[in-house]
Amino acid sequence: MQVASGAVTQVDAARGWGVVVSSVIAIRRAVKGAALAALSPKPGRSAGERDWELEEAQAEIGRLAEAVKAQAIGLAVVRGESGWD
């Protein structure tokens, strides 16, 4: 939740919990998938009916995910952890 809200970066969350960054990324993806599944159309809804709120939520998730990635990359570069040495 801290990573999704922007309170901490993926790198900081991984350090705080004593895990590798890929674990934080995997957990974030699993949570995102569960959230999208929970927001998916429910039985009884017309298949052709568009769910505008769901589409907007999915677009926002995409924008936030890209922002988190950009911040994590920037932080890694600033801290010298880019692996591009």
Side-chain angles (χ1 to χ4, degrees):
M1 293 301 294
Q2 292 173 329
V3 172
S5 70
V8 298
T9 65
Q10 291 179 25
V11 173
D12 290 337
R15 283 192 187 125
W17 288 97
V19 298
V20 294
V21 175
S22 61
S23 294
V24 173
I25 293 169
I27 291 168
R28 186 181 55 80
R29 284 184 183 150
V31 169
K32 176 182 171 184
L36 290 174
L39 295 172
S40 67
K42 305 296 183 237
R45 176 175 279 182
S46 170
E49 185 178 330
R50 288 183 76 172
D51 187 340
W52 296 101
E53 289 181 40
L54 176 59
E55 290 178 23
E56 180 57 33
Q58 289 172 331
E60 180 67 8
I61 288 169
R63 288 189 294 269
L64 292 172
E66 291 303 314
V68 168
K69 288 178 198 175
Q71 289 176 351
I73 291 168
L75 184 61
V77 169
V78 167
R79 290 185 175 172
E81 299 170 356
S82 65
W84 301 329
D85 298 331

